[in-house]
Amino acid sequence: MDRRFPFKVLEHIFSFVDSNEDRNSVSLVCKSWFETERRTRKRVFVGNCYAVSPLKVARRFPKMRSLTLKGKPHFADYNLVPDGWGGYAWPWIEAMAARRPFLEEIRLKRMVVTDECLEKIAASFRDFKTLVLTSCEGFSTDGIAAIASTCRKLRDLELRECIVDDLGGDWLSYFPETSTSLVSLDFSCLDSEVKLSDLERLLSRSPNLKSLKLNRSVTLDVLESLLRRAPQLVELGTGSFSDELDPEEIAKLTKALSELKQLKSLSGLWDLLPEYIPLLYSLCPRLTSLNLSYATVQMPDLIDLLSRCSKLQKLWVMDLIEDKGLKTVALCCKELRELRVFPSGADLDETDVTLTEQGLVSVSEGCPKLESVLYFCVQFTNAALVSIAKNRPNFRCFRLCVMEPFAPDYRTQQPLDEGFKAIVERCKDLRRLSVSGLLTDKAFEYIGVHAKKLRMLSIAFAGDSDLMLHHLLSGCQSLKKLEIRDCPFGDTALLENAAKLETMRSLWMSSCFVSFGACKQLSQKMPRLNVEVIDEHPPKTRPDSSPVERIYIYRTVAGPRLDTPEFVWTIHKSPEVGVSRLSIR
Amino acid sequence: SHPSCLVLVHPLFPLFLIFIHCFFALLIKVSNFASNSTHLSPSLTIKSSITLSQFSLFCGLEIFQMEGGSASGSASTLSNNENVLVSCEDSSSPAENELELGLTLSLGRERRVSYADDSSSSSLSSRASVTAGIKRTADSMAATSGQVVGWPPIRSYRMNSMVNQAKTLAMEDPIKNRTDGTTKMRMFVKVTMDGIPIGRKIDLNAHRCYESLSNTLEDMFLKPKTDGNLETRLKILPDGSSGLVLTYEDKEGDWMLVGDVPWGMFIGSVKRLRIMKTSEATGTAQMIL
């Protein structure tokens, strides 16, 4: 008797399995499960675009409808990866266009996307619905115009913090003249002005639009006319909020804002002037997400605003909020789940610091649902970290950036080891951690021992020796992404824990003491890793003991990549060839 | 880039000599450690190396080109495969126990920093010229403030906004100044000193005259000698007697000597400050004159 489930039954069961991690596990059970799973997967996620070839992915998932790709390493956000490193979207777009014409959604992060890519997308995917580009570069507004004009079923067009060659605001007029199916439009990263009439008409004929994020050049005086045409918005990113308005215009704008009954998320607010804050009061009680990180508003005004936002779940703000402002947040925003405090650049003079560790301590005390934090601060203490850990053991993401490299606990002058120990000990669910300040090997021993669910770890200017890296690689079981800069170690720990690297997505090390010889050895030991040496100023000769500027190591089944620029060397697998740079243009 | 002879006029040069002594001893240890066994010996934690690396990072010194004598690099042979370009060949490394130590005094780890005006940053491809535009802003902000690249870790996109915010904060209308005094009108400008990688910010509105500004900057940047007097005083106008001079960049982008104009005029036009070596300032002064 055939003991296997019929394909149809399996297929039905798998349709309830959403998460890709679960689907990956399912596909490892047996061949028939692998086959069934691959034929039914609709959303494909590739965390490192060089880990697998586009062709293989296209062939494996015939029913693919959504593709998410990530390209450059995370530290590319901070200019640590030289331009031209890679992460090209073209091979993927080309492969999908040829084999998977029913693809509907493409989401790319940190990749190089050209106008050619965008035109290809527009031309190849009939039912294309969603394009989300985060931190991408390499394209111009012409490419966007192609998408707007050709994709008749376009629902989402989001450009999040991309670097775009802005040739003007004409692209907005390329949307079809008949009503559009737009649900979400985000062009906040573009510079140039769009024509008001184009925008007004687009809003009038997009009845499904729920999310609109304008760019900075959309001035305050036109905001009212735009909002009148889109009262159904759930997410609004305003343009610049600083023009002079006469009382009549202010009244009209206040009314238009109060008409946004469904608005839950507010962002943009560039150059927000204090006198315009009362205009936002009508929105505050319903807001769940507020991004004030571009608003140079001082603490008293922020308090006025935030004390009315009782439903707030996500708050991004600058350090102008000061400790006092965060205390208000702790009192009033009991639903807060995510807090990010960015530096305004005004607080680097140590004698006048108004945002201290106390701010984060108050929020951790007052907000029971807080689980994700990004906090930039000039200095910190162990005591504060211990309190925070005690108050809030439910952290999933804890990123602390003490802006002074090697800054110790400023009260006790001790390293921040004990503080971070408390964090990893108590927060059992911690998935992402960024550490900073003065840290010795001990801190990383604690992390290795306690942070069992940690998936991503970012380290800068820390540690004493190779022991640090050894603790991390041998201890953190779930570690998937590790990125390190300016730490004094390398070879021994890497070679000792080479096997661990294949269980991780990637490892980035820059300005550490990794020698060329170690890179070679590592590459020979682990054939399924790509060991990339990135050296913008390579020495004339490369003896084994010479240090390399940066290494990027990632697991891959696609072999060494063929699109490396001159400053990237993929270490060859076979020992006779020392280093090879395969460059095929 | 700074020629290495600037090491001699660097105020921290005496400390240099002390550390070199310890350093040689450590280098031998480190090179042996790196080239020896593949298994980790936990007993060999190089505790003192952190202070040195900390110190070296802090002063912008860099130690590179370390060659452990006992390491025999495997000389790689040229590949026969035409498709494969072998970009690097091993030199025949000397078998003697020679230590090569190259020290450079760099502003913010120059070797790894791509400055906007540095020729090495022409590695930016033309395709990404617009990327270059935005990244140059971020890089040039890092470069000119003497800060390390990519630190603090803020996306270039946000960095550029920060640059604009700082201008907004500095140019805020005095009418918006609150009368209850809780929010002081602050005017922050960046101050960098040649040779120190991390820049600082100073509130110019906390001062009413050049003297107090000079005193504050001395406190921030210069280390006092054991007898309480400063090793080198910061001179507002160069009279040739000290090693350092204070300059500022005005609204037109020109670098001027601090102290020439009345304080009010200075406040109105200053964008940022830089403490330069007198030798370099002479050249600038000549350009101004």
Side-chain angles (χ1 to χ4, degrees):
Chain A
M1 184 177 141
D2 193 333
R3 298 217 181 153
R4 287 176 299 170
F5 275 127
F7 169 75
K8 283 288 171 201
V9 176
L10 268 184
E11 193 184 71
H12 181 70
I13 296 174
F14 290 171
S15 67
F16 294 105
V17 182
D18 268 335
S19 110
N20 271 345
E21 276 196 30
D22 291 341
R23 278 187 165 261
N24 290 342
S25 312
V26 155
S27 63
L28 291 174
V29 168
C30 65
K31 234 181 166 145
S32 76
W33 281 40
F34 177 85
E35 283 298 311
T36 314
E37 192 282 314
R38 80 172 185 89
R39 284 181 210 283
T40 57
R41 194 185 297 210
K42 294 226 171 60
R43 322 183 81 85
V44 176
F45 171 80
V46 181
N48 175 5
C49 64
Y50 290 119
V52 63
S53 84
L55 213 59
K56 269 201 177 155
V57 175
R59 284 209 200 111
R60 182 173 163 185
F61 301 111
K63 286 273 170 62
M64 169 163 58
R65 291 285 176 271
S66 154
L67 177 64
T68 306
L69 289 175
K70 295 191 181 179
K72 299 188 201 178
H74 172 237
F75 271 177
D77 282 348
Y78 316 129
N79 296 342
L80 288 177
V81 178
D83 283 329
W85 172 84
Y88 303 106
W90 176 254
W92 288 87
I93 311 279
E94 200 186 17
M96 297 307 150
R99 282 165 190 82
R100 298 286 157 244
F102 293 111
L103 194 61
E104 293 174 359
E105 303 178 6
I106 294 181
R107 294 179 168 81
L108 305 176
K109 188 166 187 180
R110 271 182 235 115
M111 295 193 75
V112 177
V113 181
T114 57
D115 283 345
E116 242 186 329
C117 294
L118 295 175
E119 283 154 18
K120 187 88 170 162
I121 293 176
S124 319
F125 304 115
R126 237 180 24 200
D127 294 330
F128 195 68
K129 295 198 171 72
T130 300
L131 181 66
V132 177
L133 302 178
T134 310
S135 300
C136 293
E137 60 184 8
F139 59 102
S140 77
T141 42
D142 285 348
I144 306 173
I147 298 271
S149 64
T150 323
C151 303
R152 297 271 132 182
K153 301 192 184 169
L154 192 65
R155 273 198 331 221
D156 309 295
L157 177 58
E158 295 182 27
L159 308 171
R160 302 180 186 169
E161 296 191 351
C162 294
I163 298 177
V164 184
D165 190 6
D166 200 334
L167 304 170
D170 285 340
W171 61 273
L172 198 63
S173 60
Y174 279 78
F175 281 102
E177 280 303 323
T178 56
S179 90
T180 75
S181 43
L182 270 183
V183 171
S184 144
L185 177 62
D186 179 354
F187 59 97
S188 51
C189 62
L190 297 182
D191 280 329
S192 61
E193 277 188 47
V194 294
K195 277 225 294 274
L196 176 63
S197 52
D198 285 343
L199 195 46
E200 283 174 340
R201 277 185 297 128
L202 179 65
L203 295 181
S204 301
R205 65 186 197 273
S206 305
N208 298 323
L209 194 68
K210 292 273 185 297
S211 166
L212 176 64
K213 303 209 171 137
L214 307 166
N215 67 352
R216 196 176 183 168
S217 62
V218 175
T219 49
L220 193 55
D221 48 346
V222 309
L223 187 60
E224 181 265 329
S225 108
L226 296 174
L227 295 180
R228 245 191 304 128
R229 290 169 167 80
Q232 75 281 8
L233 284 179
V234 175
E235 291 182 357
L236 171 65
T238 71
S240 147
F241 225 91
S242 63
D243 306 299
E244 294 278 339
L245 296 180
D246 59 44
E248 195 195 322
E249 285 173 310
I250 293 183
K252 282 210 303 203
L253 182 54
T254 314
K255 180 159 188 298
L257 284 167
S258 64
E259 296 287 302
L260 300 173
K261 300 286 182 211
Q262 317 219 23
L263 199 75
K264 294 229 166 59
S265 161
L266 186 60
S267 58
L269 302 171
W270 276 284
D271 316 314
L272 176 61
L273 292 180
E275 55 253 37
Y276 292 148
I277 292 192
L279 270 68
L280 304 174
Y281 286 169
S282 58
L283 300 171
C284 291
R286 288 184 295 273
L287 279 184
T288 57
S289 163
L290 182 55
N291 183 348
L292 291 166
S293 58
Y294 296 105
T296 46
V297 185
Q298 306 277 38
M299 182 262 298
D301 303 308
L302 284 173
I303 287 187
D304 282 340
L305 189 60
L306 291 169
S307 52
R308 293 157 200 265
C309 300
S310 54
K311 290 227 182 92
L312 207 59
Q313 293 180 14
K314 177 169 134 173
L315 175 63
W316 290 22
V317 75
M318 290 209 275
D319 63 7
L320 302 168
I321 192 174
E322 301 180 11
D323 287 348
K324 207 155 171 237
L326 286 176
K327 246 200 161 114
T328 311
V329 171
L331 277 174
C332 305
C333 308
K334 292 297 183 189
E335 298 289 315
L336 197 68
R337 283 163 175 66
E338 177 180 330
L339 173 69
R340 294 198 189 186
V341 180
F342 295 98
S344 59
D347 230 359
L348 289 179
D349 182 357
E350 273 172 41
T351 58
D352 213 357
V353 173
T354 45
L355 180 88
T356 68
E357 74 279 6
Q358 205 40 53
L360 188 55
V361 173
S362 334
V363 178
S364 69
E365 262 170 21
C367 301
K369 299 193 185 171
L370 188 67
E371 56 180 28
S372 169
V373 160
L374 169 62
Y375 201 75
F376 283 84
C377 191
V378 178
Q379 53 200 11
F380 229 79
T381 62
N382 279 315
L385 280 170
V386 172
S387 307
I388 292 168
K390 278 210 184 103
N391 294 334
R392 213 48 38 232
N394 44 324
F395 273 126
R396 288 172 72 99
C397 166
F398 188 79
R399 296 161 72 189
L400 176 65
C401 178
V402 179
M403 294 198 285
E404 210 42 59
F406 308 116
D409 176 331
Y410 70 93
R411 287 198 200 281
T412 64
Q413 300 307 315
Q414 293 296 310
L416 291 177
D417 297 348
E418 293 302 311
F420 281 107
K421 175 186 180 196
I423 296 277
V424 292
E425 247 181 348
R426 288 187 179 258
C427 305
K428 302 259 182 256
D429 257 341
L430 198 64
R431 302 279 150 127
R432 183 167 177 187
L433 178 65
S434 300
V435 297
S436 53
L438 181 65
L439 294 165
T440 68
D441 288 347
K442 267 249 157 249
F444 299 96
E445 189 187 330
Y446 299 140
I447 295 178
V449 166
H450 293 288
K452 289 307 177 192
K453 291 217 178 137
L454 193 66
R455 300 175 61 116
M456 181 167 175
L457 179 59
S458 312
I459 306 172
F461 305 109
D464 304 322
S465 72
D466 276 50
L467 264 186
M468 167 185 159
L469 186 56
H470 176 70
H471 286 312
L472 292 174
L473 293 178
S474 55
C476 301
Q477 286 162 356
S478 313
L479 197 61
K480 290 276 175 286
K481 292 200 287 189
L482 180 57
E483 47 187 21
I484 306 175
R485 63 165 294 179
D486 292 276
C487 297
F489 51 65
D491 300 355
T492 321
L494 268 184
L495 292 170
E496 174 85 357
N497 294 285
K500 170 77 177 175
L501 297 177
E502 224 180 79
T503 68
M504 291 167 53
R505 187 190 293 174
S506 66
L507 168 65
W508 168 276
M509 289 175 68
S510 59
S511 311
C512 300
F513 291 166
V514 180
S515 75
F516 188 58
C519 294
K520 288 199 286 190
Q521 273 185 285
L522 189 61
S523 177
Q524 284 160 29
K525 230 177 160 181
M526 309 295 304
R528 281 187 300 197
L529 294 179
N530 271 358
V531 178
E532 288 189 11
V533 169
I534 303 167
D535 254 346
E536 280 187 295
H537 309 271
K540 289 204 187 61
T541 62
R542 238 201 236 281
D544 274 0
S545 55
S546 68
V548 300
E549 278 175 27
R550 312 168 180 85
I551 56 168
Y552 184 51
I553 303 172
Y554 52 92
R555 65 180 172 187
T556 178
V557 294
R561 60 185 175 110
L562 303 175
D563 58 3
T564 51
E566 324 85 55
F567 52 84
V568 177
W569 289 265
T570 309
I571 308 277
H572 207 279
K573 307 301 171 199
S574 81
E576 311 86 57
V577 185
V579 142
S580 69
R581 187 184 59 219
L582 302 169
S583 61
I584 294 175
R585 300 233 164 261
Chain B
S1 63
H2 300 264
S4 49
C5 65
L6 275 178
V7 172
L8 296 170
V9 302
H10 196 281
L12 293 165
F13 182 65
L15 290 166
F16 234 174
L17 297 170
I18 301 167
F19 273 94
I20 285 176
H21 178 73
C22 309
F23 211 71
F24 268 99
L26 266 159
L27 271 181
I28 298 170
K29 241 193 185 177
V30 168
S31 64
N32 284 339
F33 179 71
S35 61
N36 270 348
S37 55
T38 51
H39 71 269
L40 198 71
S41 42
S43 55
L44 215 98
T45 50
I46 310 173
K47 277 284 176 220
S48 43
S49 69
I50 184 182
T51 45
L52 275 163
S53 51
Q54 275 184 13
F55 172 76
S56 67
L57 284 168
F58 212 72
C59 295
L61 299 171
E62 247 174 22
I63 293 90
F64 65 108
Q65 291 298 322
M66 296 194 301
E67 276 193 22
S70 51
S72 55
S74 56
S76 68
T77 53
L78 286 164
S79 164
N80 290 331
N81 189 348
E82 312 85 52
N83 292 336
V84 173
L85 289 162
V86 177
S87 52
C88 288
E89 313 156 44
D90 269 346
S91 64
S92 50
S93 43
E96 317 89 51
N97 228 329
E98 219 170 60
L99 284 168
E100 213 173 74
L101 185 65
L103 290 163
T104 48
L105 187 69
S106 52
L107 184 70
R109 303 169 64 88
E110 201 175 281
R111 190 166 83 97
R112 289 163 194 151
V113 168
S114 51
Y115 290 140
D117 47 8
D118 192 26
S119 57
S120 59
S121 68
S122 57
S123 61
L124 299 166
S125 63
S126 53
R127 173 169 29 92
S129 56
V130 68
T131 317
I134 300 213
K135 291 210 167 154
R136 269 174 207 274
T137 319
D139 275 354
S140 61
M141 208 181 106
T144 47
S145 66
Q147 288 174 340
V148 180
V149 163
W151 192 262
I154 303 170
R155 285 194 183 168
S156 337
Y157 183 75
R158 189 174 287 283
M159 251 326 189
N160 294 332
S161 294
M162 253 175 76
V163 173
N164 294 328
Q165 312 292 24
K167 285 189 199 151
T168 316
L169 280 171
M171 297 187 309
E172 230 172 43
D173 194 336
I175 295 171
K176 298 196 183 66
N177 197 357
R178 295 200 170 240
T179 47
D180 57 5
T182 48
T183 312
K184 259 196 326 183
M185 238 284 284
R186 292 194 267 199
M187 186 186 169
F188 281 97
V189 295
K190 285 206 160 104
V191 191
T192 53
M193 174 164 158
D194 291 356
I196 298 200
I198 313 286
R200 304 292 294 277
K201 278 215 157 194
I202 187 168
D203 177 8
L204 285 180
N205 272 345
H207 303 278
R208 293 277 173 269
C209 63
Y210 288 118
E211 174 109 8
S212 77
L213 173 65
S214 167
N215 288 337
T216 305
L217 288 176
E218 280 166 2
D219 286 337
M220 278 169 111
F221 283 96
L222 303 178
K223 307 241 181 303
K225 269 160 75 168
T226 45
D227 64 353
N229 288 331
L230 287 173
E231 192 186 313
T232 36
R233 289 208 75 86
L234 179 64
K235 287 296 179 193
I236 294 288
L237 289 172
D239 58 5
S241 59
S242 72
L244 300 167
V245 74
L246 182 60
T247 63
Y248 73 98
E249 187 186 14
D250 70 1
K251 283 197 174 120
E252 272 97 57
D254 299 320
W255 285 92
M256 319 284 279
L257 296 168
V258 169
D260 273 341
V261 299
W263 178 258
M265 208 186 285
F266 166 69
I267 287 282
S269 60
V270 62
K271 270 173 38 184
R272 58 191 158 142
L273 299 167
R274 182 178 159 196
I275 304 173
M276 293 169 90
K277 308 265 184 279
T278 319
S279 47
E280 282 198 37
T282 323
T284 315
Q286 280 178 352
M287 276 179 358
I288 294 166
L289 298 168

